[in-house]
Amino acid sequence: MTELTEGHTVRRFDSDLGALRLQVLEMAGLVLSQVQSAVDAMVANDDGLARTVIARDLQINDYDEAIAAHAVDLLARRSPVAGDLRVVMAISRAVRDLERIGDEAKKI
């Protein structure tokens, strides 16, 4: 049977891609919170909040590594083409940028 005739294979790919997107959204939410907290810590001169921002940077790094591993696994197991491949590659680039933004929040 081909992938097109096996419904479970296609559904599984959709599920894998959806899980990858969800991870990116979670990471983006954390990065957004980090930037806001970093600015708040700077404006209020709040050392405790600043330390929290620095400590949470490790979570962002963990998301980066987990999403990268998930994307590589998805590419290796599913061999996506065309639009699906572009989605996975765009996610990888977005995650790289989010991780850099998280690093900048830590520097604030």
Side-chain angles (χ1 to χ4, degrees):
M1 279 190 198
T2 68
E3 187 170 338
L4 294 176
T5 59
E6 289 184 52
H8 71 278
T9 303
V10 172
R11 282 192 299 264
R12 181 67 185 164
F13 178 76
D14 288 341
S15 174
D16 289 345
L17 198 54
L20 189 62
R21 287 178 175 152
L22 182 60
Q23 283 181 303
V24 173
L25 290 174
E26 290 171 357
M27 181 183 185
L30 179 59
V31 168
L32 180 62
S33 174
Q34 282 286 89
V35 171
Q36 184 62 53
S37 294
V39 171
D40 290 347
M42 182 182 70
V43 169
N45 200 23
D46 185 341
D47 288 340
L49 186 55
R51 290 180 207 287
T52 301
V53 169
I54 291 168
R56 281 195 307 192
D57 184 58
L58 295 176
Q59 281 183 279
I60 293 172
N61 294 342
D62 289 344
Y63 268 110
D64 179 31
E65 291 174 15
I67 293 170
H70 191 165
V72 167
D73 183 60
L74 189 66
L75 291 172
R77 286 187 303 110
R78 304 291 180 198
S79 300
V81 294
D84 293 330
L85 179 59
R86 285 190 291 275
V87 167
V88 174
M89 298 309 296
I91 286 172
S92 295
R93 285 191 301 261
V95 167
R96 182 189 63 221
D97 291 343
L98 287 170
E99 197 279 330
R100 287 177 39 213
I101 293 167
D103 288 343
E104 293 301 318
K106 183 175 73 171
K107 291 178 186 178
I108 292 174

